[in-house]
Amino acid sequence: MKSKTGKTVNLKSYLLILLAAGCMTRMAVAQTPVITLDLTKQGASVSPMLYGLMTEEINHSYDGGLYAELIRNRIFKDNKNTPEGWSLVQDDPAAKASIKLIAATEENIPRDERRLAINGALSTCLRLTVEQAAGRVGIANEGYWGIPIKPSTTYKASFYIKGTDRREPFRQPWEPKPTTPPLPVIENNTAGPITVTLESKDGKTVYASGTINLEKSNYWKKYELTLTTADDVKPTKDARFVISTNRTGQYYFNLVSLFPSTYHNRANGNRVDLMQMLVDMKPKFLRFPGGNFLEGPLITDAFPWKTTLGPLESRPGHRGSWGYRPSDGMGLLEFLEWTEDMGAAPVLAVYAGYSLEGDHVDAGPLLKPYVDDALDEIEYVTGDTSTYWGAKRAADGHPAPFKLKYVEVGNEDWFDRSGSYDGRFTQFRTAIEGKYPQLTCISTIADAQYPNMKVTSGKRPEVVDEHYYRNSWDMWENASQYDKYDRSGPKIFVGEWATREGAPTTNLNAALGDAAWMTGMERNSDLIIMSCYAPLFVNVNTATATAPKAWQWDSDLIGYDALSSYGSPSYYVQKLFSHYLGNKLVPATVTNIPVQNRPLTKKDSAEGITSKTVPTLFYSVTMNDTTGTVYLKMVNTTAKKQAVKINMDGTANISPEATLVVVKGNKPEDTNTINDPGKILPVTSTIKGVTKSFTRNLDPYSVSILQLQTRK
Ligand code: AHR
C-alpha cells in the first residue's frame, strides 16, 4: 500500500502511523482549554456597585490635574521661602523692580507688612515693587508645568490686588517711635490700567490679553476679566500668565486664579478631557478623599473638610501627604459634585484618628471630637436643609442632599501597630450607624488579610477593605484567591489595587495582570461588592529647572500634562470590564487551563519552594438576565495564540454573530504615552459562526471580551 507521500508502507506500519496520528489528535484536543457555560442555571447576582474609582491628591491629581485651576500657588503658600511658580517679568533692563513673598502672619516681618492679610486663609501675598519704571514690569505664573493654550478658548481670570505706597508703620500709642530710618518712599503711581496676558514663555507671542483699571486705594479689591484666544492659535503648553504694569509703586497680589471652561460648566470645576475619560468608565462609585491623603503625615494634617468648603477666599489649603501643598480647591462639595457628574455614588472615607507617621488617638473621650467631626461631615453630605450642615451645603450651592450608603473609617489602619483600630472603628461605627442606620461602615482592616488585627469588639464589620499592589506574576498567581474565600465572612471592598508595572502609567503586562485579577473579582462578585484601581491619575511631567517631577507613585491609570491626556492599557481594561458586565454570574467550568513556570522569588527560595506554575489563561462569565446577553472575558498572558473551545450548555438560541473587543500588543512592555497615546487601544469587531460549541483563537498578550447573544 502507498502512503500519502507515495512511499510504499506495510499494513502494520500504516496502522502504527494511524494510531500515532490519532493519539496526537487526541493530545491536541485534550490540551485545548475548554470553557463550558451552564446557561441552565442562574448564577449569583453580580454586585451592582462592582466597578468604581478611587481618588486622592497624589501625583498632582487635582492641582495640576483634574481640578481645572491653571495658576500654580495661587495664594502663595506652597513654599514659605519663595514664591514657587512665580517670577518677575521685566522687558526693559532700565526698569528697577523686584518681587517678594510676604507672609503676613510671620512674627519677624515689618509691622506694616503684617497688615497685608486679606483674611485668615489669604494671609500670604506677593509684592511687586517697581522703583523705576521702564517698559513692562509684572509677575508671571508658569502654571502646572505650563499653561494650556487652545484656539477659540475663553479663560476666566481673577485676582486680588492693591497698589499702595509705604505708609508710616503702625504703632500702638505706647510704642516708642522707631529709631531706624524711614523706608524709602516709592512714588505711588499704581492706579491705572493693569495688563493681563496669556503669552509664550519668552513673552514674544501674546495669545490673549485684557486690562483692568486699578483703583487708587489702600484696600484689597478683587478684579475679574476674561481672556479669549484667537481661532488660529496653535495649541501649546509652553505658555505663562502675566499681570503687568508700566508704572512705579508697590503692587500686592493674592488669590490669582485662571480657569478654562470646565466639565458641565461648573464654577471651580473640573477639566473636561479627564472627566470625559472617567465618565466613559461608567463608574458606580468614587472613594474619596484617600488613601493617605485622608490621614495626612500628622494628626493635624488630616483632610480638613471644613476648610475646604465655601468660596476660595476661605480655603487656606493644607499640608498634603505626598510632598506638595494641596490648594483644597477640590473640596468636599467638589468631590460630591464630581461623583454626581459621573452618575456615581460617593464612598466617603472619614478620618479615624490615625496618621501616616504613626500617631493615633485612642478610643474614648480623646477620640470623640473626631467622631463628632465625622458625624458633621456626614450631615453635610446627607442632611436636609433643616440641619446645620445640610443648610451649609445648601448655602454652598447644593440644596439637595447626596445619597450615601458606605462610610469608610480611616485608611489602611493595619499600619497602626498600637492595635487601637478595634476600639476606634467600634466607636466610630457605633456613633455613625447609631445616628444613620442606613449607612454601613467599612473597616480598613480585612479579616483575611490581617487576621490578627481584625476588628473583634462590637458587631463584626459587614464590609472590609482589602488593598493589593502587585506585579503581574503575583496577580496571575492569586487571580483565583477569592474562589476559596469564606462566604460567611464580611463582604469585601477591594478599595485599592493595581498591577505595578510601567511608569508613569502602566504597560500591557500590567493590564494583563489587572485583567486576570478582575476576572477573579468578577467571578466572585457575590463576595466582592466593590473594587477600585489606584492611583487613578498622574501628571506625567518630569522635573524642570523651576518645578519638581510631578508624580510620586509609579504605575497609574490615566496620564496627562497641561494640554492633553491618555489612558494606559490598564485604563482600557477597566473601561471594558465595566462596560461589558451582566447582572448575573454564569456558572462555568474549565478544563485544560495551560500553565507556565513562574520565576522563583527570594521568598520562595527561602521557603524551600523549588518550582511554581501559574495559569496562562483567565476567564469570567456574566449575563444580563433581561436581554440574554452573555459577556465572556478571556485573558491570554502568553506570547502565543491560544485556542479556546467554548461550550454553551442549556441554550437553544444563540446568535451566530457576536461582538468581540480585544486589547492586545506585541510585547508585554508595550504601552501608551503622552506622545503616543494610541499604541494600545481596544479594537471592536463582529465575529460570525458562533454556535453552541465553537473555538476561538485568543491573540498573544490579549484581553478578549465576547458579547454573545442568547435568546435571539
Ligand atoms: O495609592 C497610593 C497609596 O497606597 C494610597 O495613598 C495608600 O492608601 C496606599 O498605601
Side-chain angles (χ1 to χ4, degrees), residues 54-59 287 289-295 321-322 356 411-412 414-415 465 467 469 495-498 500 533-536 553 555-556:
M54 185 270 168
T55 180
E56 66 172 317
E57 182 55 290
I58 183 175
N59 303 326
R287 173 182 175 231
N292 290 357
F293 185 55
L294 170 73
E295 302 161 85
S321 299
W322 294 98
L356 296 167
N411 177 59
E412 296 192 338
W414 64 79
F415 281 110
D465 182 359
H467 292 181
Y469 291 106
E496 286 182 34
W497 65 269
R500 298 198 63 198
Y533 185 101
L536 179 63
W553 185 278
S555 66
D556 306 287

